[in-house]
Amino acid sequence: MPSEQIVQDVVSQLLDVDAAGLAMDQRFAEIEGWDSVNALRILVYLEREVGHSIDFERFTKAETLGELAAIVGDAQAAAA
């Protein structure tokens, strides 16, 4: 599954928002329900989905869904 789709699915499920309304250039601060606790929940779910750890430092520096999808894509490649 493409990393963008994984990110959209996980974020929409955990934050109870419409996946169709999530754009890759969208900043986390613009997503209703995004906070530090939910960010960590999202990280854990993404790691489970990908089957590999995600670079925490890069995760904390990411500001958009697209940046997060790139990190997830790198984790997918490392898991393969």
Side-chain angles (χ1 to χ4, degrees), residues 10-70:
V10 169
V11 171
S12 68
Q13 288 174 6
L14 291 179
L15 299 183
D16 196 28
V17 295
D18 183 15
L22 297 173
M24 287 297 110
D25 62 347
Q26 192 166 13
R27 300 178 68 78
F28 299 142
E30 299 170 348
I31 302 171
E32 187 172 339
W34 188 281
D35 59 21
S36 59
V37 173
N38 282 325
L40 290 177
R41 289 178 61 220
I42 289 167
L43 173 66
V44 170
Y45 275 77
L46 289 171
E47 288 180 333
R48 287 183 190 163
E49 187 70 30
V50 174
H52 193 274
S53 63
I54 291 174
D55 185 328
F56 184 73
E57 187 173 334
R58 283 182 66 200
F59 178 81
T60 59
K61 291 179 181 178
E63 296 182 359
T64 66
L65 291 177
E67 291 172 3
L68 183 53

Side-chain angles (χ1 to χ4, degrees), residues 68-79:
L68 183 53
I71 297 166
V72 169
D74 291 345
Q76 286 177 301

